[in-house]
Amino acid sequence: MITVKLVRTARDRREFLNFPLKLYKGCPYFVPPLYGDEKKIFSKNYVYNDTCEAEYFLAEKDGKTAGRISAIIQRAHNEKTGERRARFTRFDSVDDQNVASALFAAAEDWARERGIDTVCGPLGFSDLEREGLLIDGFDRLSTFEEQYNYSYYQKLIEGCGYEKEVDWVESMIYAPEDTGDIERSVEFLLKRYRLRIGEAKNTADFIKKYADGIFELLDRSYERIYGTVPFTEGMKKMMIDNFRIMIKTDYVGVVLDENDRIVCFAVCFPSIAGALAGTTGRLTPPTLMKLLRAVKRPDVLDFGLMGVDPDWENRGVSGIFIGAIAEMLKKVDHAETNLNLEDNYSIRNFWKHFGAVEHKRRRCFVKKI
């Protein structure tokens, strides 16, 4: 017998958070989120509560937890697009179509009661969260920023009537063997447009100087990208707090115009996936030590955020990007791009400068209800 219930008690909340940790125990490719950060979704002061409405569901089969799902109404996104959409996220299930169907039915009923006519996902509260269902690359370690899932998830979701809406691809990129032409191109572009590379003494100095400008440019450059929402002050603070320890001046770069406005930027993070794989995401002393070592001496970089001022997109400033990224890659084995929309050919072609290998694909599904 399968039943679905709303998450209401402290025990329910623990079960919701712990279910995927049990489901993926022993899976070498699964990287959990930090448990302390994930607990915040149930806080009355959660940063997204002012722009979103969310509900959480647990499925039980024969008295044991067999799945979970969350439904989100992202009001800021619906207001921006004029749509009546809900998102599903944090879907995890045993390989049982009846369990998945019961979970999605509960989430869809909840959304329908609130005037929603379309459900899509996996998408979180914003694109700062994990998004997309892995549909190719199941034998690869997930990045910390994205979610791993078993291959049968696609079958379960499609069995509930969902179809593809968009795909993302992920790539591994490597340092170019010869950077002489790249360095000359960077020098030419900086001189031609009277641009300069922004400097920072340390992480705190970088955040103080450039955080506001980066968020402003993110809103402008990401405005038309699928699933994005404007940054609130709470989102900005949360992101800075969460990633402060992972921001290193060796792996960030900003280009400034003659008025000190940011023209383009790249923020990369030392990969902590290897440090967290095989853990529950709790910062125990051994896990914390592994995480700090990974941040201090990374072998892999994760690409976090990149942006170009729309007014500069057609002036060739991407060549400066190439130079900055090439310098970063000299210090590590390779980098993971994380998500690039499959129809974003400009960025996919951009990675060809670095011997890109596309090794993962993710999908967002949609269904009219």
Side-chain angles (χ1 to χ4, degrees):
M1 180 179 178
I2 297 169
T3 59
V4 175
K5 65 178 181 179
L6 298 172
V7 172
R8 288 292 181 264
T9 68
R11 182 182 181 279
D12 292 340
R13 292 191 287 273
R14 287 194 299 271
E15 193 65 21
F16 188 91
L17 297 173
N18 290 334
F19 176 71
L21 304 178
K22 298 173 185 176
L23 187 66
Y24 288 95
K25 187 176 181 179
C27 176
Y29 312 115
F30 174 74
V31 177
L34 291 178
Y35 197 85
D37 289 343
E38 193 70 355
K39 283 175 63 176
K40 294 175 183 176
I41 62 176
F42 295 117
S43 170
K44 292 181 180 179
N45 299 319
Y46 190 45
V47 67
Y48 292 109
N49 287 349
D50 57 346
T51 60
C52 301
E53 183 179 0
E55 191 57 272
Y56 305 89
F57 304 86
L58 283 169
E60 293 185 350
K61 180 179 180 181
D62 299 328
K64 295 183 179 180
T65 302
R68 69 170 194 168
I69 199 169
S70 175
I72 298 170
I73 298 175
Q74 197 357 309
R75 293 190 296 270
H77 183 268
N78 286 350
E79 289 168 6
K80 183 178 82 169
T81 62
E83 297 174 315
R84 291 186 292 156
R85 284 194 169 209
R87 303 172 170 197
F88 74 85
T89 185
R90 294 172 172 83
F91 166 67
D92 289 290
S93 174
V94 298
D95 188 4
D96 187 320
Q97 186 64 59
N98 292 328
V99 171
S101 296
L103 283 167
F104 275 94
E108 291 163 10
D109 287 344
W110 177 86
R112 195 179 293 109
E113 290 168 1
R114 286 154 180 79
I116 297 300
D117 61 18
T118 304
V119 177
C120 62
L123 287 174
F125 291 94
S126 78
D127 57 315
L128 297 180
E129 289 208 308
R130 297 177 172 193
E131 56 190 356
L133 188 87
L134 187 68
I135 61 170
D136 189 29
F138 299 104
D139 59 347
R140 303 281 187 169
L141 180 68
S142 180
T143 63
F144 171 69
E145 294 81 9
E146 303 303 336
Q147 182 76 5
Y148 183 84
N149 57 262
Y150 290 129
S151 59
Y152 65 78
Y153 277 37
Q154 181 178 357
K155 173 194 67 177
L156 296 182
I157 292 173
E158 291 176 345
C160 295
Y162 286 78
E163 300 177 343
K164 171 186 173 180
E165 183 161 47
V166 300
D167 274 11
W168 295 272
V169 294
E170 300 178 51
S171 300
M172 294 187 297
I173 61 172
Y174 300 85
E177 292 183 5
D178 183 2
T179 60
D181 289 343
I182 294 174
E183 291 167 1
R184 286 187 287 273
S185 176
V186 169
E187 185 178 351
F188 170 77
L189 289 166
L190 290 174
K191 184 176 181 179
R192 177 180 181 182
Y193 293 117
R194 289 179 285 185
L195 303 173
R196 65 183 179 88
I197 306 296
E199 298 180 348
K201 299 175 184 177
N202 49 44
T203 298
D205 189 40
F206 177 83
I207 292 171
K208 181 180 179 180
K209 284 182 175 179
Y210 305 121
D212 288 342
I214 286 174
F215 284 120
E216 179 185 347
L217 183 51
L218 275 172
D219 275 338
R220 292 186 62 207
S221 59
Y222 282 37
E223 183 179 11
R224 299 183 301 275
I225 294 179
Y226 178 83
T228 59
V229 296
F231 283 89
T232 64
E233 291 304 312
M235 289 167 62
K236 296 174 186 178
K237 182 179 184 303
M238 178 187 68
M239 186 171 182
I240 291 173
D241 290 346
N242 286 354
F243 288 96
R244 184 184 297 270
I245 191 175
M246 295 168 59
I247 296 175
K248 294 171 65 71
T249 52
D250 286 346
Y251 307 121
V252 297
V254 295
V255 178
L256 308 172
D257 67 12
E258 55 190 330
N259 298 312
D260 288 338
R261 287 178 60 86
I262 297 177
V263 170
C264 56
F265 73 91
V267 178
C268 306
F269 306 112
S271 173
I272 60 173
L276 291 174
T279 76
T280 63
R282 294 174 174 86
L283 291 180
T284 62
T287 299
L288 183 59
M289 290 300 296
K290 288 197 297 182
L291 189 150
L292 292 175
R293 283 197 297 269
V295 171
K296 187 176 181 179
R297 295 187 294 273
D299 295 321
V300 180
L301 288 183
D302 287 350
F303 276 73
L305 297 169
M306 299 176 63
V308 179
D309 188 318
D311 295 337
W312 286 84
E313 283 181 347
N314 298 318
R315 301 195 200 182
V317 296
S318 61
I320 302 174
F321 255 172
I322 295 172
I325 293 170
E327 284 299 311
M328 296 179 192
L329 289 171
K330 288 179 181 179
K331 303 177 179 73
V332 296
D333 181 75
H334 69 277
E336 295 260 2
T337 66
N338 282 310
L339 304 190
N340 299 141
L341 285 166
E342 67 173 343
D343 61 358
N344 189 344
Y345 297 109
S346 60
I347 191 67
R348 292 177 70 183
N349 288 330
F350 179 82
W351 296 133
K352 292 179 181 178
H353 294 283
F354 304 96
V357 177
E358 292 185 350
H359 64 308
K360 298 176 191 170
R361 179 174 287 263
R362 296 182 184 275
R363 179 163 296 171
C364 189
F365 297 85
V366 67
K367 177 184 178 182
K368 289 286 186 181
I369 60 171

